[in-house]
Amino acid sequence: MLFDAVHNAGPTFFHLAPLAVFIPLLGATINFLFGRRLGERGVASVAVGAAAVAFVVSVLQWLSLQGHHEAVTVPIVEWLTIGDFQVAWAQRIDTLSVTMMLVVTGVGTLIHIYATAYMHYDVRYKNDPRRYARFFGFFNLFIAMMMILVTGDSYLTLFVGWEGVGLCSFLLIGFWYEYDILGNPSTANARAAKKAFVVNRVGDFGFLLAIFTLFWYFGTVEFEGVFAKVHEVAAQHPNVLLAVTLFLLLGVTGKSAQIPLFVWLPDAMAGPTPVSALIHAATMVTAGVYLITRSAELYLAVPQAQAAVALVGGLTALVAATMAVAQYDIKKVLAYSTISQLGFMVAAVGMGAFVAGMFHLVTHAFFKALLFLGSGSVIIALERAHHPLPDDPEAQAVAGHHGHDHAAHHGEHDAHHAPFDPQDMRNMGGLLRRIPVTSWTYIVGALALAGLPPLAGFWSKDEILLEAKHLQPVVYGLLTAAAFLTAFYVTRQLVMVFLGKPRTEAAAHAIESPRAMTGVLVTLAVLSALGGFLNAPGVHAFGHWLEASLPEIETLPFNLTVAGISTAVALFSMALAWSLYRRVRAWEAWQHDPLEKVLGPGLFDFLRQAWHWDDFYRAVFVQGYDALAAFLAHTVDWRFWHDWFHDTIVAGTYRRLSRFLARPVDLGIIDRIANELAGSVQGLALVLRGLQSGFVRTYALSVFVGVVLMLGYLWWVIVR
Amino acid sequence: MNITEFVSHPLNLVTFFPLVGVVLLLLTPREAKNRLRWIALLTSGVTFAVSLAVLARFNPADPQIQLAYQRPWFQVAGLQINYILGVDGLSILLLLLTTFLTPIAILSTWSAIEERVKEFMVFFLLLEIGMVGVFLALDLFLFYIFWEFTLVPMYFLIGIWGGPNRMYAAIKFFLYTMAGSLLMLLAIVYMGLHYGTFSVPEMLAQGAIGGAVQNWLFLAFAAAFAIKVPMWPLHSWLPDAHVQAPTAGSVILAGVLLKMGTYGFLRFNLPLFPEAAVHYAPLMGLLAVIGILYGAMVSYPQQDVKKLVAYSSVSHLGFVMLGLFALTAQGVEGAILQMINHGISTGALFLVVGMIYERRHTRDLDQFGGLWKIMPIYGALTLITTLSSMGLPGLNGFVGEFNILLGAFGSQALGSPLYAGFAAAGVIFAAVYMLYMFQKIFLGPVKHEVNKTLKDLSLREIVTLLPLIALMFWIGLYPKPFFALMEPAVQHLLAGLR
């Protein structure tokens, strides 16, 4: 292990780094054990406090790294030692891990704050206030696991966090495990959670194989040790590096929702919206991008693997974007958008543009968290207008105003109301006037996503495109097409949600969210607007900061042509979407999607069903597995092994054998001894009379008697 | 030599202390059910304390047999049969597992066993003697006695206190195990004649039997142990035994009795037949991998929760066998730890199933759903157990499985990383059946009216589960002390194989 001497001027706080894991863990424990007694306020304070402390710890790490960009290792505990396999849990504090720490805890703390208000409404709509504490317990646990992931100094520690965040994702997707996404009793949310876990396990399978390969060929799974031997191993076993990098890629496609394993992420939207923002947009799903960046030394040594990663990312970016254009659910649009944007990042780090990929990871965390939280604000705004709760005076006032006393029906609304989907964009429209803070911040986030200058998304996406044009022209083409579609679906969503006339009563009476939520939205909007200047041309602060943790890579100078093309593409696409959807503004009820007319219903539906990717998997893998398992269980194991093989071969042979033994070998003697002994011990006799099997009983008793006799003899020998 | 000297040896004491309880039980009237239960619980509790005293005197750095107690016993046809008990890094954890699980299993019967409490407890304590004896005996003859002896109490536990089809299951359990044992007995007799002794340390000192005979002896021992494990395809007694056995019986069956098989391989097959062990490693590895995948797939469609858990044992024990026959330090140590892990996790799973069975008198998955909301403590503890069983990092199962797979991946004896590659797919399958089970019982809406009034766990039930849960975290978070206990002994064992 490497212990760097710390010799920089200012004070350092590296020894505090473990607190980033343990404080959120403590917060989670407190809320799990005492949450019900603490009440909403207590729970919220503990959870937000724990996340905030983790953020402060991360900032201290950042400060400590100023002027000291070398990695520092903070040992925590020796985990296990077997033969020459030694793993200690230690934290690696360098500019890369601290970048992740800052994003996770910074955006994480904001989302915690937002969630204190959001979940207040959510637990009331779902009629289970006890869940409040459990939610924040899981949320803090997630922060802790994410900290383990990003600070681990070995592939194994990273994997521990990797699985840990997967668990939190599972628990939070299925948080409302007794409902479907509309709140009807169902196992749908639970199934979505299980799907996420199982699909991720396919990726983890790859990750595990990578770890095994690393250990047997590199002799260690610690980053330092592995990177030091890259060239040696590459020379001796050229295919080993390829295997490791491709195994890791499989893990990445799981966690970061890339082709072919992206299918779990759209279903993951079953989780409460803050979960989608924190886990399924800003942080956990970017772990794959982090993993590849961390493994830069490995990937740079294998150009084929780099090409594979870049291609997977580029294809995912484009394919997911085509799926996003045809969604009606406000969160599903964002989900496919997230997959697509992750594709941008994966493509970037695949090409070796690590700074660009990480930069997009950061800006995306800002604007996608903003968009998800904004969508949550929209959803709650519609919920509150649709079913005003008795303890919600604002909503009551609105309800009174438009003359519907929903409150009286509350609790039985499932039976009395037509199903209302507050996430369906067809039920929205005109929200800009009703909920201005949510709307305007959302628009900032959306334009950042579309990549309009000078918002954050522009700079990071531009950097990726620039590198792609230089390094992988095919990927450049894919990403440009994806950027075109991105601007399109963003515009479509903005028009459908915020512009024109409200298309439902709920939309007409939507209620702006409380300050805990809007305050967070405004903060994230500012970050989404200005975050790009972290690494804007001429500044490159982010690039210089990260360079300390990466192999030497040249960065390309700003290129006006590339920036101009991407901006023009985005603007053209937005204009196209505007011209298609502006008529929607006038509609009071939903009519056919304008895009459906352009593409034809078949193609539109194909995109809306996500290319039937899920259906294909269900038909081939899920049903295939079910059928094979059922065949093995019922036919092979039960009818063949259990019934036929046992009855005919095993039991039959015994029966013949015992018949043979019964005649020539007189078991009568043994039987008599057994019976007499049994008769003498009253309890046993009772027991034995209940049993009806001559041979086995006899044998059992013979063994018993034999052992007793022998032990008696032993006793006698010893006492003598 | 006298009785005091015999009893004052800790290994004799830990083995035979339950006899004190048996005597007390026999003296207690059968109507005093609670007194009977307390006697059994306290006896097994003291036995556990004695085993901790054994641990305290155990030196982990010493790879050899420790605390050995050896006395000549009797002669058969000129052959000296010895009474030898001893403990080393291969057996110390299994000894502790046995004495640890027995009181927990007894505690789980508090309200589940109402009929013939006296006999039940007598059999249970006799079973403990047999199991501890199996793990400590170092004379093949003595080992065989203990090995066969465990059959009897278990046979009655299933046959008397079992489910509706208990006789079929009990006889099947008996026949399968006995069939294997007979082959082992022949091999033991051959070895006794060959070496002139049944003492394992002496056999090791004399060196292995050469030639093709060693292969035959390996296979004869393997037959007994593979049925006990059970390895695919010899597992078909297991679902019956588990489904019919009372909860405490299942806990001990899965927790300890199956480990007698894997322990047998470790204690006898590897050191006594080293060339054969290397020779057959690919075959054993193949059967193990098939067992891992097959067990996991077959668990998934089961409607009966107990059957589901029973088949999952086939998968988990496949991991243990793969680790043992990887013949690498990581593989063997992972396998030993996984024996303990399986005892803890699957033991806990059977307890959990028993708790819901006591309330609802059914184990049909379709009869449940949404229970987390009604029984939140039960849900949380079951979730932890489920995650432990499917190998989530931070809990015990991961540490065992990871090391087994790591050890198998680079194993020279197996000769190919494909074994580990296929076995690792079992990790995916484990998530499928375990999460399916959890979902069917705990998630979704409450479908059945009867379930709405179910009571959450009682204090006694929580106390039964908590020690297991604590160990899941301990081994998962800080496995170092557990490996430290076995490392020298395993290195010593592997050195003998090279």
Side-chain angles (χ1 to χ4, degrees):
Chain A
M1 216 177 303
L2 204 80
F3 290 93
D4 290 53
V6 180
H7 287 308
N8 63 332
T12 60
F13 304 96
F14 295 121
H15 58 285
L16 294 180
L19 291 181
V21 176
F22 289 113
I23 296 293
L25 210 54
L26 181 69
T29 313
I30 292 173
N31 275 337
F32 284 141
L33 296 182
F34 311 110
R36 282 177 68 183
R37 258 171 279 168
L38 289 174
E40 278 197 13
R41 284 217 149 174
V43 167
S45 314
V46 168
V48 172
V53 169
F55 178 62
V56 171
V57 170
S58 308
V59 171
L60 290 175
Q61 303 310 304
W62 172 70
L63 283 176
S64 306
L65 278 179
Q66 296 302 317
H68 172 80
H69 282 189
E70 290 297 307
V72 174
T73 304
V74 183
I76 297 182
V77 68
E78 293 218 7
W79 201 55
L80 57 82
T81 306
I82 300 179
D84 40 10
F85 181 60
Q86 297 176 342
V87 186
W89 177 22
Q91 290 179 315
R92 182 189 168 92
I93 305 299
D94 64 6
T95 56
L96 178 59
S97 59
V98 171
T99 305
M100 292 301 288
M101 286 175 82
L102 287 168
V103 171
V104 173
T105 57
V107 177
T109 305
L110 289 174
I111 298 176
H112 270 71
I113 296 170
Y114 172 98
T116 59
Y118 182 93
M119 291 312 289
H120 168 81
Y121 293 111
D122 207 22
V123 294
R124 270 157 185 75
Y125 282 112
K126 302 276 191 342
N127 274 324
D128 192 354
R130 286 180 307 174
R131 298 272 178 100
Y132 196 80
R134 190 188 294 175
F135 178 87
F136 284 99
F138 291 157
F139 234 37
N140 268 352
L141 185 65
F142 171 77
I143 298 283
M145 290 300 167
M146 202 67 204
M147 288 296 105
I148 294 177
L149 194 164
V150 301
T151 62
D153 86 326
S154 77
Y155 281 97
L156 183 56
T157 321
L158 199 161
F159 183 74
V160 170
W162 183 275
E163 288 264 297
V165 292
L167 168 69
C168 297
S169 164
F170 165 79
L171 292 169
L172 284 163
I173 293 169
F175 185 71
W176 294 114
Y177 55 75
E178 68 271 53
Y179 300 113
D180 65 10
I181 211 159
L182 292 178
N184 303 313
S186 161
T187 53
N189 290 353
R191 277 183 280 121
K194 187 177 67 180
K195 177 175 174 182
F197 202 111
V198 172
V199 172
N200 266 294
R201 274 251 157 152
V202 177
D204 299 345
F205 161 75
F207 199 149
L208 273 178
L209 293 184
I211 295 178
F212 300 149
T213 316
L214 283 172
F215 172 70
W216 286 100
Y217 287 94
F218 291 73
T220 177
V221 295
E222 277 170 26
F223 296 139
E224 288 285 344
V226 168
F227 301 152
K229 285 184 84 172
V230 166
H231 294 293
E232 190 186 320
V233 173
Q236 287 170 353
H237 314 277
N239 286 327
V240 164
L241 275 176
L242 181 63
V244 170
T245 45
L246 291 183
F247 286 148
L248 286 178
L249 175 61
L250 182 59
V252 170
T253 59
K255 194 65 71 195
S256 291
Q258 300 293 292
I259 291 173
L261 297 181
F262 69 92
V263 290
W264 64 273
L265 189 65
D267 294 72
M269 297 300 123
T273 306
V275 173
S276 312
L278 178 60
I279 301 183
H280 304 119
T283 60
M284 182 189 83
V285 288
T286 63
V289 180
Y290 167 74
L291 175 63
I292 293 180
T293 310
R294 181 52 87 196
S295 311
E297 302 265 11
L298 296 178
Y299 280 92
L300 287 173
V302 206
Q304 304 101 300
Q306 282 195 291
V309 177
L311 203 61
V312 164
L315 280 174
T316 306
L318 179 59
V319 169
T322 65
M323 296 167 178
V325 297
Q327 302 302 317
Y328 288 129
D329 183 306
I330 186 169
K331 282 176 74 181
K332 282 275 166 72
V333 176
L334 295 178
Y336 285 106
S337 162
T338 302
I339 298 171
S340 170
Q341 294 297 306
L342 289 166
F344 274 84
M345 298 173 214
V346 169
V349 294
M351 292 179 297
F354 299 106
V355 172
M358 286 300 296
F359 184 33
H360 198 56
L361 185 155
V362 175
T363 60
H364 178 261
F366 296 152
F367 64 72
K368 194 51 74 62
L370 168 61
L371 289 172
F372 266 114
L373 296 184
S375 76
S377 181
V378 167
I379 293 164
I380 283 294
L382 264 64
E383 280 275 13
R384 288 172 74 192
H386 188 68
H387 307 299
L389 293 176
D391 60 349
D392 186 351
E394 237 178 307
Q396 285 297 337
V398 174
H401 178 68
H402 69 98
H404 289 265
D405 188 10
H406 287 281
H409 303 294
H410 184 68
E412 333 166 38
H413 60 256
D414 293 332
H416 293 284
H417 289 256
F420 172 76
D421 184 354
Q423 300 187 192
D424 192 327
M425 298 192 295
R426 289 170 294 190
N427 291 333
M428 298 175 187
L431 292 181
L432 189 61
R433 293 236 179 87
R434 289 293 316 171
I435 47 172
V437 183
T438 301
S439 304
W440 283 112
T441 52
Y442 199 98
I443 289 168
V444 172
L447 296 180
L449 169 60
L452 287 195
L455 303 173
F458 165 76
W459 300 108
S460 54
K461 190 191 66 183
D462 183 68
E463 228 176 282
I464 294 176
L465 291 172
L466 175 65
E467 298 269 0
K469 184 162 180 288
H470 182 68
L471 296 165
Q472 303 249 10
V474 177
V475 175
Y476 175 66
L478 292 170
L479 294 183
T480 308
F484 172 82
L485 290 171
T486 306
F488 186 91
Y489 65 70
V490 161
T491 313
R492 173 177 179 265
Q493 189 178 50
L494 289 179
V495 176
M496 284 176 80
V497 175
F498 298 107
L499 303 184
K501 292 179 186 163
R503 288 184 293 276
T504 53
E505 278 288 296
H509 301 95
I511 301 159
E512 183 61 284
S513 297
R515 230 171 288 162
M517 289 165 69
T518 52
V520 169
L521 294 178
V522 171
T523 312
L524 283 170
V526 171
L527 288 170
S528 303
L530 305 178
F533 293 104
L534 274 177
N535 207 38
V539 182
H540 275 302
F542 186 71
H544 294 309
W545 156 259
L546 263 193
E547 269 167 13
S549 304
L550 292 169
E552 274 183 42
I553 309 151
E554 56 163 340
T555 38
L556 298 170
F558 182 73
N559 183 318
L560 202 59
T561 325
V562 174
I565 291 175
S566 79
T567 310
V569 163
L571 285 174
F572 173 67
S573 173
M574 292 181 82
L576 194 68
W578 170 257
S579 69
L580 267 179
Y581 283 88
R582 72 196 157 114
R583 281 168 297 147
V584 172
R585 291 193 308 149
W587 294 353
E588 294 197 4
W590 184 254
Q591 295 165 25
H592 276 287
D593 196 294
L595 190 62
E596 199 173 344
K597 285 191 190 135
V598 179
L599 298 177
L603 183 57
F604 184 80
D605 194 58
F606 179 73
L607 298 179
R608 192 164 128 68
Q609 303 295 331
W611 295 30
H612 295 285
W613 211 294
D614 245 345
D615 302 327
F616 172 72
Y617 280 178
R618 195 169 303 124
V620 176
F621 297 113
V622 178
Q623 286 178 6
Y625 187 84
D626 285 356
L628 181 60
F631 172 73
L632 285 179
H634 303 313
T635 307
V636 174
D637 200 77
W638 207 252
R639 299 230 316 264
F640 176 70
W641 277 121
H642 182 272
D643 290 345
W644 181 83
F645 188 80
H646 172 76
D647 293 348
T648 315
I649 308 293
V650 182
T653 311
Y654 261 109
R655 227 169 282 132
R656 260 163 279 153
L657 190 73
S658 63
R659 225 173 282 139
F660 166 76
L661 285 174
R663 259 167 256 146
V665 188
D666 186 15
L667 280 175
I669 300 166
I670 302 173
D671 242 353
R672 217 171 304 141
I673 298 171
N675 286 338
E676 272 171 31
L677 193 107
S680 64
V681 185
Q682 198 202 3
L684 274 181
L686 211 83
V687 161
L688 288 168
R689 260 178 239 128
L691 299 175
Q692 296 298 329
S693 163
F695 182 70
V696 174
R697 189 190 69 187
T698 310
Y699 184 81
L701 216 67
S702 326
V703 170
F704 193 69
V705 170
V707 171
V708 169
L709 289 178
M710 284 202 209
L711 289 175
Y713 183 71
L714 170 71
W715 196 260
W716 185 68
V717 166
I718 286 164
V719 172
R720 186 185 55 177
Chain B
M1 199 165 24
N2 59 47
I3 177 95
T4 331
E5 190 254 17
F6 180 80
V7 174
S8 64
H9 192 278
L11 294 189
N12 291 328
L13 191 62
V14 76
T15 310
F16 292 105
F17 187 78
L19 268 184
V20 175
V22 171
V23 172
L24 289 176
L25 285 170
L26 291 175
L27 296 175
T28 309
R30 55 177 50 258
E31 297 76 32
K33 290 181 183 171
N34 266 331
R35 210 188 311 162
L36 292 163
R37 288 172 182 138
W38 275 108
I39 290 172
L41 182 65
L42 290 175
T43 309
S44 58
V46 172
T47 313
F48 177 56
V50 176
S51 70
L52 289 179
V54 172
L55 176 67
R57 294 172 73 174
F58 180 81
N59 173 16
D62 181 358
Q64 305 290 343
I65 299 288
Q66 303 180 36
L67 302 174
Y69 182 89
Q70 176 165 357
R71 295 292 178 273
W73 189 4
F74 59 88
Q75 287 195 333
V76 178
L79 269 177
Q80 181 62 48
I81 291 171
N82 292 300
Y83 173 88
I84 314 174
L85 296 186
V87 66
D88 67 357
L90 307 182
S91 55
I92 182 83
L93 283 170
L94 288 160
L95 165 70
L96 291 166
L97 177 72
T98 308
T99 55
F100 170 75
L101 277 182
T102 305
I104 288 178
I106 288 174
L107 198 57
S108 80
T109 67
W110 225 254
S111 58
I113 302 293
E114 283 291 338
E115 304 275 307
R116 296 173 177 162
V117 178
K118 184 169 172 171
E119 289 88 346
F120 185 91
M121 295 302 173
V122 167
F123 281 128
F124 222 85
L125 292 180
L126 288 177
L127 183 59
E128 184 173 21
I129 297 175
M131 296 185 298
V132 171
V134 162
F135 294 128
L136 297 180
L138 290 170
D139 179 279
L140 280 179
F141 196 89
L142 184 66
F143 169 78
Y144 188 78
I145 290 174
F146 281 124
W147 171 272
E148 285 290 278
F149 181 67
T150 57
L151 272 183
V152 181
M154 196 65 209
Y155 170 74
F156 289 121
L157 287 178
I158 298 175
I160 297 170
W161 292 271
N165 213 1
R166 55 186 176 270
M167 277 321 297
Y168 171 81
I171 293 171
K172 196 169 181 180
F173 164 77
F174 205 93
L175 290 187
Y176 270 71
T177 323
M178 215 182 66
S181 306
L182 284 175
L183 288 170
M184 179 167 70
L185 181 61
L186 289 176
I188 288 177
V189 170
Y190 179 91
M191 290 173 73
L193 294 171
H194 178 92
Y195 284 107
T197 175
F198 290 103
S199 154
V200 176
E202 263 184 66
M203 288 178 180
L204 288 173
Q206 287 187 34
I209 298 174
V213 182
Q214 194 186 113
N215 287 348
W216 288 109
L217 292 172
F218 177 95
L219 290 175
F221 272 74
F225 299 145
I227 288 173
K228 200 72 162 185
V229 170
M231 290 188 83
W232 183 88
L234 305 170
H235 61 275
S236 83
W237 62 272
L238 187 72
D240 291 303
H242 267 315
V243 169
Q244 299 303 327
T247 298
S250 291
V251 171
I252 290 297
L253 179 61
V256 183
L257 287 188
L258 306 186
K259 308 310 170 322
M260 288 167 37
T262 48
Y263 171 78
F265 278 107
L266 177 69
R267 168 65 68 203
F268 304 111
N269 281 53
L270 299 189
L272 287 176
F273 321 120
E275 285 95 17
V278 175
H279 177 72
Y280 287 115
L283 174 69
M284 302 304 286
L286 180 68
L287 293 179
V289 172
I290 294 176
I292 291 170
L293 300 178
Y294 181 93
M297 287 189 101
V298 170
S299 328
Y300 173 54
Q302 303 300 333
Q303 274 297 111
D304 183 326
V305 193
K306 250 186 157 181
K307 226 161 145 187
L308 190 154
V309 179
Y311 279 110
S312 82
S313 289
V314 176
S315 184
H316 284 134
L317 276 279
F319 275 106
V320 176
M321 292 308 299
L322 180 66
L324 287 181
F325 280 92
L327 302 177
T328 52
Q330 292 81 19
V332 174
E333 291 188 33
I336 296 176
L337 190 73
Q338 191 66 1
M339 292 185 209
I340 308 302
N341 288 338
H342 179 261
I344 294 166
S345 308
T346 308
L349 276 176
F350 278 119
L351 288 174
V352 157
V353 175
M355 287 167 187
I356 196 65
Y357 184 76
E358 269 189 61
R359 286 166 171 73
R360 284 282 277 105
H361 299 287
T362 177
R363 290 183 306 259
D364 183 351
L365 279 176
D366 284 337
Q367 291 298 312
F368 305 117
L371 293 194
W372 201 351
K373 197 161 185 166
I374 296 161
M375 305 169 68
I377 300 175
Y378 182 56
L381 295 183
T382 308
L383 178 65
I384 295 170
T385 308
T386 307
L387 295 172
S388 138
S389 183
M390 57 191 257
L392 195 89
L395 295 169
N396 57 345
F398 173 74
V399 185
E401 277 178 16
F402 179 84
N403 281 296
I404 287 168
L405 292 172
L406 182 72
F409 192 84
S411 161
Q412 283 184 341
L414 292 174
S416 163
L418 283 178
Y419 292 91
F422 279 99
V427 171
I428 307 174
F429 296 175
V432 175
Y433 69 79
M434 274 291 159
L435 292 181
Y436 173 76
M437 182 193 83
F438 188 77
Q439 178 197 315
K440 288 290 273 187
I441 300 178
F442 291 100
L443 307 183
V446 185
K447 282 184 302 184
H448 302 275
E449 272 308 308
V450 275
N451 290 339
K452 286 192 175 153
T453 52
L454 289 178
K455 289 228 157 44
D456 207 344
L457 299 190
S458 69
L459 188 62
R460 175 185 60 80
E461 288 171 317
I462 296 174
V463 168
T464 314
L465 281 175
L466 270 188
L468 296 167
I469 304 270
L471 269 177
M472 289 174 200
F473 279 104
W474 183 9
I475 299 179
L477 295 173
Y478 192 57
K480 202 169 183 254
F482 295 87
F483 285 116
L485 281 175
M486 59 176 101
E487 165 94 7
V490 171
Q491 293 291 355
H492 178 71
L493 171 78
L494 293 176
L497 287 170
R498 272 173 217 127

